[in-house]
Amino acid sequence: MSGLQIDAVEKDFGETSVLKGVTLNINDGEFVSLVGPSGCGKSTLLRIIAGLETATRGTVSIDGTDVTHVRAADRNLSMVFQSYALYPHLTVAENIAVPLRMRQMSTTQRLPVVGGLIPGTGPLKRDISQAVRHAAEMLEIGALLDRKPGQLSGGQRQRVALGRALVRNPAAFLLDEPLSNLDAKLRVQTRAEIAQLHRKLKATFIYVTHDQVEAMTMSDRIAVMMGGEILQCAAPEVIYEDPNDIRVAEFIGSPKINILPLEHTNDGVVLLGRVLDWPMPAGMPHLMQLGLRPEALRLVEGPSKLRGRVVHFENLGSEIFAQVVLYDGDIRLTLRATPADRQRLSLGKEVSLEFELRSGLIFDTAGKRLRMAEVKTRAAKEVA
Amino acid sequence: MTKNWWKHLILIVGTIVVLAPFYMMVSYSFKSPGEIDRGEGGFFGRQEMMVDPRCVALRQPNRADIEAARTRFTGQADTEIQAALLAEAEADCSMRPVVFNYSKAFTEAPLILYLLNGVIVTVSIFLIQTLVALPAAYALAKLKFWGREAVFGLVLFCLLIPVHAIALPLYIVLAKFGLTNTYAALIVPWTISVFGIFLMRQFFMTVPDDLIDAARMDGMTEFAIVWRVMLPTAVPALLAFAIFSIVAHWNDYFWPRIVVTGNRELFTPPLGLREFKGDGDGSFFGPMMATATIIVTPLIVAFLLAQRRFIEGITLSGMK
Ligand SMILES: Nc1ncnc2c1ncn2[C@@H]1O[C@H](COP(=O)(O)OP(=O)(O)O)[C@@H](O)[C@H]1O
Ligand SMILES: [Mg+2]
């Protein structure tokens, strides 16, 4: 097991630049998710790590050894594909055995009849079928070993693909959206199982997904990718609470973060025509954006910073998401309320919303986070 | 049904047009020469005993035969002995037309040898074609290399070249190497099948890239991918190609006729048919049609067997 270093990797497909300088260090045994919208280059990056695609510029190292020009087969990495990519003509057991047979047996040993005559083939074959059975038991597919992939359900095929990846001991596991072809329930279950598998194997995992929930629940660190760049790579809670970029803030979190325009004038900080009591340091730009998570908004009685009308609401039982259109500026906000507030929310009802200044995230107009402009309670406490 | 009667009519007429020669071939192979000449006897003929005139002619008793037979026919005149011997010969030479036709097919020419030659030539051609076409098709379908489109363009271009157009240069080259009248002459010119490359390439285009990438991750070389992943998934396409290739070369008359001159040891089945072409002693259609029936039977049997595998093979799943 070993770490992985990706250094300034760029990839062009003809004229189009798909990766624009990606640098990422992955520690030994770490579970890193690459998350981002469709088409942002996640798969391309994973395939470059795997050696299935060559980087236009930049290097990939495994455990400090430069493998940029090493064949995929010689990088000692395992990969699980979104489409599972099982060999249709082989049984489950044979599918799982392929990586071991190809790596441990010589060409002549793999021959049907002649191979058996070569000394050492017998014990080797026994070891391989032992390893296959072990992997199958770990994934609870021991009963399916004699079937062909065509006779399996999607979830079972997915397990076989996992089994084929973990039957040997690779430097890292690469998974490209392995759950996206499963139904919702199975996805949640398999998600937990993969996370457990990671804890058990203590192996390096690189997990590609467009689903932020998967990334949030499974990873040690999340790398949020957009437009061929890693915008931020950090622990899930940091990504959620302390994003560097408005695109990260918007991508992570469901429902989406609310964005409001903020003005910095001579009178102070103005939000939708109301002057806020906001101690803004000097040198901040005139126009900014305020990000408020749905749970940062509170329902209050009487006058408040934000007023509007409920236009839609979704009751999920344990929580309620309401959409409120503000009177000022025709802006739509999403609010997370508790079931206790249900009485106060109904379609068309007028509501007042309040928020803590320190829960607001400030970004400049280009989307960069302006930490300087934020109200820092922690900093205030430290001073006190 | 009533609305579509004309479609059925067209199909039925088409079927008759296609099947009629086959019907004639099989029917003639059952009938006696007389029935064939007079066009009677239905499909199977009447299967009355007939006498093979050539057989009798060969056993026309001469003086020595009569002397030798004298002990059996003691006290008879020479003419009587001769008549008795002739009657014996005719009895020995009379048989059912179907037996006559099919036994002639095997005795008149070394048909078994020709069939064996046919098998050697067609199987060798097909195996070498596969050996060349699969890696080529894989490279054209799945590998990225400079000039790939140009190479594929050449493949398409070669599809347009009729065999007969290049027969002469091919013959000259083979003759220069002293390869005429060898198995090599029958096999080598056909070992690179652009049609096979094209067909397999089209099939390989449908194989998901992920499957190939998975194989690479599993430690396979590109050649291992061709033989261990592409070949097993391409069995239906390969069977389709096998049918084309084997039928074409099994039935080929043109090329063997050119490069095999005189040496009967190398005759393929269609060349064997020539041996029945009308010689001085009248038509020999019965045995000829029997030979033709024997020649096409392996193809029909192989096709029926392949057809079942074909349909099994098409239901490929698990790749998605
Ligand atoms: N082989 C290729 N040739 C040309 N463009 C490609 C190729 N592979 C991917 N791309 C392009 O690169 C971009 C990123 O693709 P990909 O890495 O698959 O995105 P993701 O996995 O994040 O959805 C896409 O716009 C895609 O069209
Ligand atoms: Mg992808």
Side-chain angles (χ1 to χ4, degrees):
Chain A
M1 290 300 142
S2 37
L4 259 146
Q5 298 80 39
I6 298 144
D7 190 29
V9 163
E10 292 175 36
K11 178 71 187 175
D12 303 336
F13 284 114
E15 295 289 291
T16 46
S17 159
V18 172
L19 295 178
K20 298 161 186 159
V22 171
T23 298
L24 183 62
N25 281 309
I26 296 165
N27 299 325
D28 186 11
E30 201 177 17
F31 194 122
V32 172
S33 290
L34 300 176
V35 64
S38 226
C40 70
K42 308 179 295 287
S43 297
T44 306
L45 179 57
L46 199 71
R47 291 167 55 79
I48 287 174
I49 297 171
L52 297 172
E53 206 85 66
T54 47
T56 312
R57 278 169 291 277
T59 58
V60 177
S61 320
I62 298 175
D63 223 5
T65 317
D66 187 346
V67 295
T68 314
H69 301 289
V70 174
R71 284 191 321 144
D74 301 330
R75 289 194 188 188
N76 192 26
L77 300 169
S78 275
M79 187 154 170
V80 178
F81 295 84
Q82 182 177 0
S83 59
Y84 315 138
L86 301 177
Y87 305 112
H89 59 290
L90 299 181
T91 64
V92 167
E94 288 164 339
N95 260 286
I96 297 177
V98 166
L100 295 180
R101 284 172 59 87
M102 295 311 295
R103 286 191 155 79
Q104 296 178 1
M105 293 169 77
S106 65
T107 315
T108 40
Q109 277 179 319
R110 287 195 299 262
L111 291 176
V113 182
V114 187
L117 305 175
I118 293 168
T121 310
L124 198 54
K125 275 193 169 160
R126 268 194 295 286
D127 287 352
I128 289 175
S129 66
Q130 184 72 37
V132 168
R133 219 166 303 124
H134 181 70
E137 269 156 28
M138 190 149 42
L139 294 162
E140 292 161 14
I141 47 171
L144 308 176
L145 285 177
D146 294 326
R147 298 225 199 139
K148 292 271 176 75
Q151 302 163 305
L152 302 179
S153 71
Q156 289 168 334
R157 284 182 208 174
Q158 208 273 340
R159 277 159 194 274
V160 177
L162 274 175
R164 189 173 58 176
L166 57 79
V167 71
R168 61 201 182 87
N169 203 7
F173 291 96
L174 313 177
L175 302 96
D176 192 352
E177 312 217 14
L179 306 184
S180 58
N181 284 347
L182 301 183
D183 62 59
K185 202 169 156 198
L186 204 54
R187 191 149 53 201
V188 172
Q189 185 194 336
T190 316
R191 194 166 82 196
E193 283 172 0
I194 292 179
Q196 275 166 16
L197 214 54
H198 168 244
R199 282 193 291 275
K200 191 154 140 198
L201 298 174
K202 297 184 173 57
T204 311
F205 275 61
I206 306 179
Y207 187 97
V208 164
T209 177
H210 65 268
D211 180 357
Q212 44 144 332
V213 180
E214 282 174 23
M216 291 293 285
T217 50
M218 302 166 82
S219 330
D220 295 322
R221 276 195 301 157
I222 298 177
V224 181
M225 285 186 71
M226 232 163 271
E229 288 172 301
I230 293 185
L231 297 178
Q232 189 172 5
C233 181
E237 55 275 13
V238 176
I239 292 280
Y240 186 77
E241 291 164 10
D242 195 13
N244 280 341
D245 194 291
I246 198 164
R247 290 174 288 170
V248 175
E250 283 184 314
F251 189 78
I252 302 289
S254 172
K256 226 166 106 174
I257 194 168
N258 301 299
I259 304 290
L260 295 167
L262 205 60
E263 266 180 277
H264 184 209
T265 64
N266 291 337
D267 299 336
V269 176
V270 180
L271 174 68
L272 303 175
R274 254 184 216 85
V275 179
L276 296 183
D277 168 27
W278 195 303
M280 183 72 64
M284 289 299 125
H286 173 58
L287 288 175
M288 289 174 284
Q289 306 182 76
L290 171 66
L292 288 171
R293 295 276 180 203
E295 63 271 22
L297 293 167
R298 266 180 300 119
L299 275 176
V300 291
E301 301 292 341
S304 68
K305 296 193 187 82
L306 303 164
R307 291 182 61 76
R309 199 178 287 281
V310 177
V311 292
H312 180 70
F313 83 95
E314 292 168 348
N315 186 353
L316 304 184
S318 61
E319 55 192 3
I320 298 167
F321 292 107
Q323 293 193 0
V324 175
V325 171
L326 298 183
Y327 292 142
D328 312 292
D330 201 23
I331 289 169
R332 187 181 279 236
L333 292 185
T334 309
L335 149 84
R336 199 187 86 174
T338 57
D341 288 328
R342 202 172 54 227
Q343 304 306 326
R344 294 153 71 181
L345 291 168
S346 59
L347 275 184
K349 196 155 184 187
E350 192 173 288
V351 289
S352 305
L353 300 175
E354 200 46 272
F355 63 92
E356 301 285 344
L357 289 184
R358 64 186 152 80
S359 61
L361 306 170
I362 307 262
F363 304 91
D364 66 16
T365 45
K368 275 265 153 294
R369 178 88 175 274
L370 290 172
R371 287 201 172 77
M372 288 291 291
E374 286 169 14
V375 179
K376 289 271 170 23
T377 43
R378 250 170 287 135
K381 263 183 206 153
E382 275 164 29
V383 173
Chain B
M1 182 62 208
T2 42
K3 231 172 65 185
N4 283 333
W5 65 270
W6 57 274
K7 286 185 192 165
H8 291 147
L9 191 69
I10 291 174
L11 288 174
I12 288 166
V13 169
T15 312
I16 289 171
V17 167
V18 171
L19 286 183
F22 267 98
Y23 176 88
M24 298 287 277
M25 175 184 80
V26 177
S27 176
Y28 276 19
S29 79
F30 290 147
K31 289 188 189 179
S32 68
E35 285 167 330
I36 293 172
D37 282 345
R38 292 188 299 275
E40 55 180 40
F43 181 68
F44 287 106
R46 279 189 303 274
Q47 299 299 337
E48 282 167 347
M49 286 306 231
M50 60 167 279
V51 175
D52 176 0
R54 269 218 257 170
C55 168
V56 176
L58 283 175
R59 288 184 51 171
Q60 195 66 250
N62 55 18
R63 272 253 61 86
D65 293 327
I66 295 172
E67 290 307 322
R70 201 176 290 283
T71 49
R72 287 199 285 140
F73 304 94
T74 39
Q76 293 185 15
D78 277 7
T79 45
E80 281 167 346
I81 294 174
Q82 189 177 14
L85 279 177
L86 255 178
E88 264 179 19
E90 277 189 15
D92 283 350
C93 286
S94 70
M95 55 187 103
R96 307 265 173 215
V98 58
V99 179
F100 169 74
N101 289 342
Y102 280 89
S103 59
K104 266 283 172 286
F106 282 100
T107 52
E108 198 68 10
L111 186 58
I112 299 281
L113 174 71
Y114 298 167
L115 289 171
L116 197 67
N117 282 339
V119 169
I120 291 172
V121 169
T122 45
V123 169
S124 312
I125 289 176
F126 175 66
L127 286 182
I128 303 176
Q129 279 177 337
T130 306
L131 224 54
V132 174
L134 284 188
Y138 172 69
L140 286 173
K142 293 294 180 189
L143 301 182
K144 288 177 215 128
F145 56 90
W146 188 86
R148 182 177 78 164
E149 298 313 311
V151 172
F152 185 58
L154 280 178
V155 168
L156 290 180
F157 176 71
C158 288
L159 274 178
L160 303 176
I161 300 176
V163 179
H164 307 87
I166 52 170
L168 191 60
L170 266 179
Y171 177 80
I172 293 170
V173 170
L174 288 171
K176 282 241 154 71
F177 283 106
L179 286 174
T180 48
N181 289 310
T182 60
Y183 280 120
L186 290 169
I187 295 168
V188 171
W190 310 114
T191 48
I192 298 177
S193 162
V194 280
F195 175 67
I197 294 173
F198 174 73
L199 191 78
M200 297 316 290
R201 184 252 185 199
Q202 295 309 96
F203 185 83
F204 286 170
M205 294 290 278
T206 67
V207 174
D209 288 342
D210 276 358
L211 192 64
I212 294 160
D213 285 338
R216 291 190 181 126
M217 295 303 291
D218 285 344
M220 290 196 200
T221 60
E222 299 298 310
F223 271 105
I225 291 173
V226 172
W227 302 117
R228 293 177 165 271
V229 179
M230 301 309 265
L231 174 62
T233 55
V235 168
L238 199 62
L239 273 177
F241 174 57
I243 289 169
F244 283 116
S245 167
I246 290 176
V247 168
H249 295 111
W250 180 266
N251 290 336
D252 190 14
Y253 178 75
F254 171 75
W255 186 252
R257 181 84 182 85
I258 288 182
V259 290
V260 177
T261 45
N263 187 357
R264 289 178 92 206
E265 305 272 280
L266 288 172
F267 273 19
T268 56
L271 287 185
L273 266 185
R274 287 179 67 229
E275 313 226 340
F276 296 97
K277 75 179 182 333
D279 292 330
D281 54 355
S283 59
F284 228 34
F285 284 127
M288 191 179 196
M289 290 301 117
T291 310
T293 308
I294 292 165
I295 291 172
V296 297
T297 303
L299 285 186
I300 293 172
V301 169
F303 178 75
L304 291 178
L305 290 178
Q307 198 188 28
R308 275 188 48 210
R309 277 285 292 138
F310 203 68
I311 291 160
E312 277 168 25
I314 285 169
T315 48
L316 271 183
S317 48
M319 294 209 283
K320 283 252 157 72

